[in-house]
Amino acid sequence: MNLYIQPEYEVVRDESRCIACRVCERQCANLVHSFDAETGKMKSDSTLCVNCHRCVCVCPTHALKIVKSDDTYKVNGNWSNQTINEVYRQANSGGVLLSSMGNPKEYPVFWDKMLINASQVTNPPIDPLREPMETKLWLGKRTAQVKRDKKGKLINTLAPQLELKAPILFSAMSYGSISYNAHESLARAAEELGIYYNTGEGGLHKDFYKYGKNTIVQVASGRFGVYKDYLDAAAAIEIKMGQGAKPGIGGHLPGTKISADVSETRMIPQGIDAISPAPHHDIYSIEDLRQLVYSLKEATDYKKPVIVKIAAVHNCAAIASGIARSGADIIAIDGYRGGTGAAPTRIRDNVGIPIELALAQVDERLREEGIRDEVSIIVGGSIRSSADLVKAIALGADACYIGTAALLALGCHLCRTCHEGKCNWGIATQRPDLVKRLNPDVGYKRLVNLVTAWNHELQEMMGGMGINSVEALRGNRLMLRGIGLTDTELSVLGIKYAGQSM
Amino acid sequence: MKRIYVNEKWCLGCHLCEYECAFANSHLTDMVKALKGKVIHPKIRVEDGGDVHFAVNCRHCTDAVCVRSCISGALSFEDGMVAIDQNKCVGCLTCVLVCPFGAIMPAPEGGVAQKCMLCTDNLTGEPNCVRHCINNAIVYEERD
């Protein structure tokens, strides 16, 4: 018996505005809308709706809206409708619940409990429209030594660096989990912005090798698509040890999303689920990690920085210390709100810790141990705005990964059903008729707009603080004050409470 | 001269352009009032064949066979655009027959032909199909 479950959201059509043009019907991959020729009216079936808002956006007369259903079980403070429905779904199917995108639960958002400083009287603010305001930065080891050759000329001992025009990178999203057109949009935007996008663990499509100087390639536990040309093409190599959305488990790409093209790029069979192992089977210690870091450096002639990406977990400060000593150039930390194309719901919603706390602890630990300059730190896992970006940098990050925000710019409406592969926005799908809905000419421009806007806002906020370069903002925690935080939270974040002076 | 081009690669077959065309040529400002309960007669038509979709409207050919075949002088070139003067049209529909794209059609009110005038003949002033195409499949640009 499959128990009927009332849909969480309902499609509401304003009959007085609907002109029955059937655009909603043609644009819904979930087949929610249909035309009744007998009555000449449109119908909709809310049980099929994933609330992606595609129909709402394309309706020329704005006749559609989607509302939360007011159908409810007997109200229960312990057993919410959702909790009950999840039990029903599992009793129906016997399966693990799957979800996509970041953790949507109402945990505290520490970004929203930090306030930024501004200059008044004694230290004047800077006007970024009239005075220089530097957002360019470099990622990599900063442990160069002053060495001279026999003629007294300086020898360059600086490790390879990544140059960014803004402290923002597009986070790892694989070809397979997202579409060809989404990747093309990210790659072209990264090139125009002078920043980087990340292939994720899905390999690099042959068409995108030309964007190599703005590409970070990932080496994950499945080693999909990894070979010499792949490593050579990139500006940097990222070893993915973990992902914020699902710490402790590997990636899972459903077979339905493995088209011929994805199969060729990943170097795996077509149509069969691609399941990455939870660990790297050759890494069980920092020493093992060091071997992989140096294998990759050796393979690429020590010309590219190596990033090690971990999920934010309880012991991440100690782990980061190990990574800094493993020879990696950059540490990427992904918070528990980070997105994914598919993850077990229980893991996504309950494993890992907030990126704000992890970042503060990692930065502090590395500074205490005197090895902060051994690595740069990139953080991700729900950087939602330039304000989050400023706060992250002030907490100690060098730069931020944005994934969800980038997808939103491409049209994503966070319906969180990427794992079904029927993305109506042409992002998280491989179905050709859906993929073509994302025209990269439009998509890349929107990404460029987003990052450009954030960079302007970053400059405005830095100017307000009287700071004229991101390098001077980094780790400047005196620019932050907590609000509504406990003493423990303040001490973990390493910031003072609002109202406390320098 | 700027013309409307359709990139088949990006055309989703949503048919929104047909409704935007009909709305623009209704000379009304409220789409619901203009189109609700009406059968539309747009000057742009989306042709669907399986996974292939393609919006077709007047190509504004440089050596337009419709202009050459018009018996009443209703069709002419205006700065490169193939224009129709419905006051001169006698409704012989020769143009409908000769257009290789099927981009001219009898007007719904009867007696005359209708075709895309690049929205120069209505309130929008710029091609409404281009402005509202959700995937930039229809573009209005200069090409060689």
Side-chain angles (χ1 to χ4, degrees):
Chain A
M1 178 192 80
N2 261 10
L3 207 62
Y4 171 74
I5 298 173
Q6 183 78 0
E8 221 182 319
Y9 297 93
E10 287 167 10
V11 182
V12 178
R13 185 184 308 275
D14 182 347
E15 288 295 347
S16 71
R17 295 197 64 79
C18 178
I19 56 169
C21 66
R22 303 175 73 175
V23 172
C24 50
E25 179 190 4
R26 295 189 189 97
Q27 288 291 296
C28 182
N30 298 303
L31 309 175
V32 169
H33 305 281
S34 58
F35 180 68
D36 186 340
E38 235 171 75
T39 59
K41 285 184 175 174
M42 297 300 302
K43 299 187 295 185
S44 29
D45 180 354
S46 296
T47 58
L48 301 170
C49 178
V50 298
N51 195 355
C52 75
H53 265 67
R54 177 77 179 180
C55 58
V56 175
C57 292
V58 297
C59 177
T61 58
H62 310 304
L64 289 168
K65 66 175 175 179
I66 298 174
V67 298
K68 189 144 174 43
S69 170
D70 56 5
D71 176 79
T72 181
Y73 303 126
K74 206 162 195 177
V75 176
N76 189 320
N78 188 32
W79 290 89
S80 68
N81 279 13
Q82 195 189 350
T83 311
I84 295 171
N85 281 338
E86 282 170 350
V87 170
Y88 291 152
R89 280 171 62 199
Q90 291 195 295
N92 280 346
S93 70
V96 170
L97 294 172
L98 273 186
S99 291
S100 318
M101 297 311 290
N103 182 346
K105 298 272 183 188
E106 288 186 11
Y107 291 104
V109 180
F110 291 97
W111 299 129
D112 295 339
K113 297 184 175 192
M114 286 187 270
L115 298 168
I116 299 166
N117 195 25
S119 303
Q120 299 292 296
V121 185
T122 52
N123 49 345
I126 302 167
D127 184 346
L129 295 174
R130 296 184 176 82
E131 293 175 72
M133 182 61 66
E134 195 55 83
T135 58
K136 184 193 265 195
L137 72 153
W138 284 265
L139 299 177
K141 284 181 187 297
R142 270 177 276 273
T143 48
Q145 292 164 335
V146 180
K147 280 189 182 167
R148 292 179 188 279
D149 64 13
K150 283 177 187 168
K151 290 179 183 167
K153 281 193 174 173
L154 273 176
I155 302 169
N156 184 4
T157 60
L158 189 66
Q161 305 279 318
L162 282 183
E163 183 186 320
L164 287 82
K165 286 196 181 143
I168 296 168
L169 306 90
F170 297 129
S171 35
M173 289 177 278
S174 69
Y175 173 48
S177 75
I178 61 169
S179 66
Y180 178 97
N181 290 340
H183 251 220
E184 183 179 330
S185 305
L186 289 166
R188 283 167 61 185
E191 186 179 50
E192 183 157 326
L193 290 161
I195 60 169
Y196 301 86
Y197 83 108
N198 189 315
T199 62
E201 61 172 323
L204 181 59
H205 192 282
K206 54 183 185 291
D207 296 352
F208 300 146
Y209 275 73
K210 61 183 176 210
Y211 302 110
K213 65 176 183 38
N214 296 91
T215 307
I216 296 171
V217 296
Q218 210 178 51
V219 175
S221 59
R223 299 287 196 271
F224 299 133
V226 177
Y227 75 119
K228 189 167 188 312
D229 293 356
Y230 172 73
L231 300 176
D232 283 341
I237 302 165
E238 180 172 273
I239 301 172
K240 177 199 174 190
M241 299 304 302
Q243 182 178 345
K246 43 183 169 181
I249 62 169
H252 180 174
L253 186 65
T256 48
K257 275 178 141 180
I258 304 181
S259 62
D261 230 20
V262 172
S263 146
E264 185 189 338
T265 306
R266 288 207 178 203
M267 304 172 181
I268 54 168
Q270 195 178 332
I272 298 171
D273 287 25
I275 301 174
S276 304
H280 285 247
H281 283 303
D282 51 356
I283 301 178
Y284 285 82
S285 65
I286 293 295
E287 291 76 11
D288 290 346
L289 174 64
R290 185 178 177 85
Q291 287 196 14
L292 181 58
V293 169
Y294 276 92
S295 301
L296 294 171
K297 288 192 173 196
E298 188 72 35
T300 51
D301 216 12
Y302 294 86
K303 283 181 181 154
K304 301 174 199 291
V306 171
I307 307 168
V308 174
K309 176 181 176 180
I310 55 164
V313 289
H314 303 343
N315 205 22
C316 59
I319 297 161
S321 165
I323 294 170
R325 294 163 202 277
S326 75
D329 300 274
I330 301 163
I331 301 178
I333 318 167
D334 193 10
Y336 77 150
R337 284 191 189 273
T340 176
T345 309
R346 299 297 172 230
I347 290 183
R348 185 196 66 174
D349 293 355
N350 296 284
V351 180
I353 61 168
I355 188 59
E356 303 91 317
L357 306 179
L359 164 62
Q361 283 301 298
V362 167
D363 178 66
E364 194 172 305
R365 175 77 171 250
L366 297 183
R367 280 190 287 148
E368 274 170 9
E369 294 182 359
I371 53 172
R372 181 62 182 85
D373 285 347
E374 291 282 341
V375 284
S376 289
I377 298 177
I378 308 175
V379 296
S382 202
I383 303 293
R384 303 158 303 166
S385 67
S386 59
D388 291 356
L389 179 72
V390 167
K391 292 168 189 176
I393 295 170
L395 270 184
D398 289 83
C400 290
Y401 267 138
I402 59 166
T404 302
L407 295 188
L408 292 180
L410 292 176
C412 168
H413 276 60
L414 274 181
C415 74
R416 312 197 294 265
T417 34
C418 316
H419 54 285
E420 291 180 7
K422 291 192 290 187
C423 177
N424 271 321
W425 293 91
I427 301 168
T429 179
Q430 300 300 326
R431 244 174 68 176
D433 61 319
L434 299 178
V435 172
K436 75 188 285 189
R437 292 185 184 180
L438 176 58
N439 182 344
D441 291 341
V442 181
Y444 106 91
K445 193 78 213 162
R446 293 180 58 83
L447 287 167
V448 170
N449 284 346
L450 178 76
V451 173
T452 307
W454 283 22
N455 206 40
H456 277 306
E457 292 175 337
L458 168 67
Q459 290 179 332
E460 292 284 350
M461 281 184 273
M462 289 200 311
M465 288 181 266
I467 287 172
N468 65 4
S469 82
V470 276
E471 309 252 321
L473 176 62
R474 187 197 312 127
N476 200 339
R477 294 193 196 176
L478 283 173
M479 291 298 135
L480 297 176
R481 287 292 185 274
I483 184 106
L485 295 173
T486 65
D487 284 351
T488 311
E489 288 165 335
L490 290 170
S491 94
V492 171
L493 287 167
I495 58 172
K496 290 173 184 255
Y497 202 78
Q500 285 183 312
S501 298
M502 297 285 175
Chain B
M1 175 208 161
K2 275 170 96 174
R3 288 186 170 84
I4 293 174
Y5 296 94
V6 176
N7 296 311
E8 179 263 320
K9 194 179 172 190
W10 303 120
C11 178
L12 307 176
C14 71
H15 293 245
L16 196 57
C17 49
E18 295 177 350
Y19 287 84
E20 293 295 348
C21 176
F23 172 43
N25 290 298
S26 70
H27 307 289
L28 294 173
T29 51
D30 179 347
M31 193 176 205
V32 178
K33 211 171 170 183
L35 304 181
K36 184 147 180 72
K38 309 252 170 74
V39 177
I40 61 164
H41 300 276
K43 298 166 184 176
I44 187 166
R45 287 281 183 184
V46 177
E47 299 195 0
D48 301 300
D51 288 338
V52 180
H53 308 280
F54 198 95
V56 183
N57 61 354
C58 176
R59 317 314 307 145
H60 298 281
C61 310
T62 42
D63 184 20
V65 65
C66 58
V67 177
R68 276 198 280 155
S69 63
C70 181
I71 59 166
S72 64
L75 287 164
S76 63
F77 292 105
E78 278 177 22
D79 301 326
M81 177 179 80
V82 175
I84 185 164
D85 180 348
Q86 289 182 326
N87 292 323
K88 286 187 188 170
C89 180
V90 295
C92 71
L93 305 186
T94 309
C95 53
V96 177
L97 292 171
V98 298
C99 175
F101 302 101
I104 311 183
M105 61 286 286
E109 57 271 23
V112 289
Q114 70 168 23
K115 67 175 294 303
C116 169
M117 297 275 280
L118 301 174
C119 282
T120 54
D121 55 344
N122 61 44
L123 294 170
T124 52
E126 56 176 307
N128 210 36
C129 54
V130 174
R131 191 155 64 166
H132 288 95
C133 178
I134 53 176
N135 206 32
N136 271 26
I138 312 178
V139 293
Y140 186 49
E141 61 191 27
E142 197 99 34
R143 286 188 189 175
D144 293 331

